[in-house]
Amino acid sequence: MVKTERRYQIEELVYRSCLALDAKDWKSFLDLCDEQFHYTIATFSPEIRKDMVWLDHDKQGMVTLFTNLPRHNSDHSPITRHATVYTVEVDEATSEANVVSAIQVFRTLLDGGATELFAVGRFHDTVKLTDSAAKLARRVVRLETRLLGYGYHVPF
Amino acid sequence: MSKNAAQWSENPGFPQTHYVDSRIYADAAIFAEEREKIFKPSWIIACHESEIQGPFDYRLFNHPTGVPLIVVRGDDSKVRAFYNICPHRGNTILYDPAGNAKRMTCIFHQWSFDTRGNCVDISRADQGYQNRFCKQDASMREVKCEVGCGGFVWVNLDDNAASLGAFVGGAMDILEPFMREPMEVFHFHKAHVRTNFKLWHDTNSEFYHDFLHYFNRITGMMQPGYFDRRYTGFPNGHATVGSMEIRYDKYEGSKDRAVGWPGLAPGGWYMVDLFPGMTYNLRTSVLRIDTAIPLGPNEVIIEFRGLGLKRDTVEERRQRIFDHNMIWGPFGRNLHEDLLAVHGQGRAMRDGTDSRWVIQGREEGGTIHDEVGMRHFYAEWSRRMERPAYDPYREGKPEPVRAAA
């Protein structure tokens, strides 16, 4: 059983990561990540019956991605990540926790403000724990949604 | 000086081959005609052979005419294509987009078919049909199917169509040296965009829009040789684009390629646009294939495939996937920009917007920013549709006021 305080700390890490990305506050997001952080978006295609990776970066790769964003033409509609932490499993021996969260991503159109469901999936996070902090060491976004219209430049 | 209504409607000052009436992107009647005159008799990519590797493997494909198809590898390893419509009560036979089916059985009344299209079982046939109707009367509708041009499975709904080879002609010659090894699909996704299918194919048929892409500007347009790339037109509306040396190291986050493509120079890039809506795109370490499947005059599904080599090691495949995703994945730098742009065209050209013309007037000796690729497409479109793209309703607009060279 995970101690309430520890679980609260881990849940807050997941939620803060969503808030930072929603706000396009890349620095705050990266501050939540361990130096060994690795980010992946993956999904399964029933059409070709294969697992697919759609985005895969280490921490420096994420920094570069964020740095390049203003140089590109992108959809400027904001997206909002709604996460619910489902399970937290702490391995005291390695001081890591495996965390599974449900994630829904909504996109709000700039003209008129209509909000539409953009994507659903799960966060599979590995969290590195110290006495005082919890940091994201790995995030795998497993998407169920594969039809993303004209796409998006910002990771979920 | 801005234009008033009359000036806005005037023909652009170009030869008739150099502009298009934008109503051809929004008219439902023209779209219905395109399905019949363009898509029905054309060879269309349904999938790749690596998606149906073993006997009884199947793949569903929604043909641009609207016909649902099953592509299946038979017990004899031959690939065939059939309507995914039960000849009994018109139900869908197979529901999942891919799978393995020794028998294809309709869930509705359990009529069953083999992979050669024969009906092999009709539930309680004798009791209901006596001698009036039997399995031999209930075969599936088969359509023409060939495997070629890099192991892709092509279908054609016209029983009298010429061969795939005759349709493609010499357009694939430029890629033939790079497709001698067996390939494998590692990426598949669809994009649903409110735009006309031709606008997507236009985007694949001109490079002037490299101004849209920071990635292409910095790795291509600003590098020597970029403006030497040349378009070549082929019969049936196909076109190819020659190569150059892309400097991927100029984009932060990109890098020298440890994994290339057999025979392709580092930084090489070839494209083949096949009428009416398919594109082969070979660059970095990946072959990308686009297949446009229109759903209406202002609605299209584009199927995107990424392919590597079947013999790839785990590390080689990982690198190809990285290269693919950098520019072409759903979160890639270029694909989102291209889709956003054609989405914008769809917004501006939908029925009722008073959009009038699309200009394809750039002439640069057939090189990279020349719009000859699009002009070549619309010459074929006009021939097949028996109506000129510049005057689709034969309203007899006056000749352009200013003739281009």
Side-chain angles (χ1 to χ4, degrees), chain A residues 41 46-50 52-56 64 68-69 71-75 147 149-153 156, chain B residues 51 57 59 98-99 185 187-188 190-192 212 214 251-252 321 325 330-333 336-337 339-340 343:
Chain A
I41 297 177
E47 297 96 343
I48 61 171
R49 292 179 285 176
K50 281 189 171 73
M52 299 185 291
V53 170
W54 281 2
L55 200 68
D56 193 46
T64 303
N68 280 333
L69 275 176
R71 297 171 178 144
H72 289 276
N73 290 295
S74 304
D75 175 23
L147 196 65
Y150 42 79
Y152 210 69
H153 270 156
F156 292 160
Chain B
E51 297 168 57
D57 280 352
R59 184 79 167 82
V185 172
H187 174 94
F188 177 85
K190 300 181 181 185
H192 182 196
L212 169 73
Y214 171 72
Y251 183 86
E252 192 186 352
I321 291 170
N325 290 338
F331 295 88
R333 301 304 94 187
H336 174 52
E337 292 175 328
L339 290 169
L340 199 58
H343 162 76

Side-chain angles (χ1 to χ4, degrees), chain B residues 97-390:
Chain B
N100 184 277
K102 194 170 279 186
R103 291 281 178 270
M104 298 183 282
T105 302
C106 179
I107 62 170
F108 210 8
H109 303 91
Q110 301 289 299
W111 286 31
S112 192
F113 308 88
D114 67 17
T115 52
R116 301 185 188 209
N118 303 304
C119 179
V120 293
D121 191 38
I122 294 177
S123 311
R124 300 190 69 248
D126 293 344
Q127 293 90 333
Y129 300 114
Q130 298 83 41
N131 296 322
R132 297 173 294 122
F133 187 87
C134 65
K135 291 182 286 190
Q136 286 70 29
D137 300 316
S139 300
M140 298 171 80
R141 157 76 163 112
E142 184 170 0
V143 303
K144 277 179 169 281
C145 180
E146 288 191 37
V147 179
C149 301
F152 287 87
V153 179
W154 300 72
V155 292
N156 193 313
L157 300 190
D158 180 357
D159 287 346
N160 299 312
S163 68
L164 171 64
F167 173 74
V168 172
M172 290 299 295
D173 290 355
I174 197 171
L175 280 181
E176 194 280 330
F178 311 114
M179 297 199 301
R180 291 175 182 166
E181 288 195 46
M183 295 185 287
E184 186 173 67
V185 172
F186 62 74
H187 174 94
F188 177 85
H189 87 278
K190 300 181 181 185
H192 182 196
V193 188
R194 300 281 175 182
T195 198
N196 186 275
F197 77 92
K198 297 186 288 297
L199 295 168
W200 181 254
H201 200 65
D202 288 354
T203 296
N204 277 333
S205 303
E206 59 91 359
F207 277 77
Y208 187 40
H209 83 276
D210 270 348
F211 283 104
L212 169 73
H213 301 304
Y214 171 72
F215 187 94
N216 286 10
R217 289 199 307 272
I218 199 156
T219 63
M221 201 188 300
M222 294 170 67
Q223 304 306 325
Y226 172 85
F227 288 100
D228 298 333
R229 295 183 78 188
R230 186 168 289 277
Y231 281 96
T232 306
F234 290 84
N236 294 326
H238 313 315
T240 66
V241 185
S243 188
M244 65 166 290
E245 186 179 350
I246 302 295
R247 292 290 305 275
Y248 293 107
D249 57 315
K250 297 295 181 184
Y251 183 86
E252 192 186 352
S254 196
K255 56 184 178 183
D256 290 337
R257 262 57 194 174
V259 178
W261 191 273
L264 182 70
W269 183 5
Y270 289 96
M271 280 185 78
V272 177
D273 294 308
L274 296 174
F275 189 91
M278 295 156 291
T279 297
Y280 284 63
N281 200 338
L282 178 65
R283 68 184 293 193
T284 66
S285 61
V286 179
L287 176 67
R288 166 182 143 188
I289 303 293
D290 298 7
T291 310
I293 303 169
L295 304 178
N298 198 35
E299 189 176 6
V300 63
I301 292 270
I302 308 154
E303 295 189 347
F304 296 103
R305 286 177 168 80
L307 291 98
L309 301 179
K310 203 165 181 178
R311 64 168 167 82
D312 281 345
T313 63
V314 171
E315 183 53 34
E316 285 169 338
R317 182 60 59 87
R318 193 199 64 75
Q319 182 64 49
R320 289 192 207 283
I321 291 170
F322 181 88
D323 292 345
H324 174 273
N325 290 338
M326 169 68 76
I327 47 178
W328 290 337
F331 295 88
R333 301 304 94 187
N334 285 13
L335 187 67
H336 174 52
E337 292 175 328
D338 280 328
L339 290 169
L340 199 58
V342 296
H343 162 76
Q345 285 185 295
R347 278 172 56 165
M349 288 191 217
R350 67 183 185 271
D351 193 25
T353 64
D354 198 28
S355 168
R356 291 298 291 118
W357 310 109
V358 168
I359 297 173
Q360 300 164 349
R362 295 186 65 84
E363 294 183 353
E364 296 189 48
T367 55
I368 195 70
H369 283 192
D370 195 313
E371 290 171 334
V372 65
M374 288 190 291
R375 293 194 292 272
H376 188 67
F377 175 94
Y378 286 98
E380 178 68 9
W381 186 93
S382 300
R383 187 183 71 79
R384 291 193 182 210
M385 293 289 284
E386 302 172 285
R387 51 167 102 212
Y390 65 87

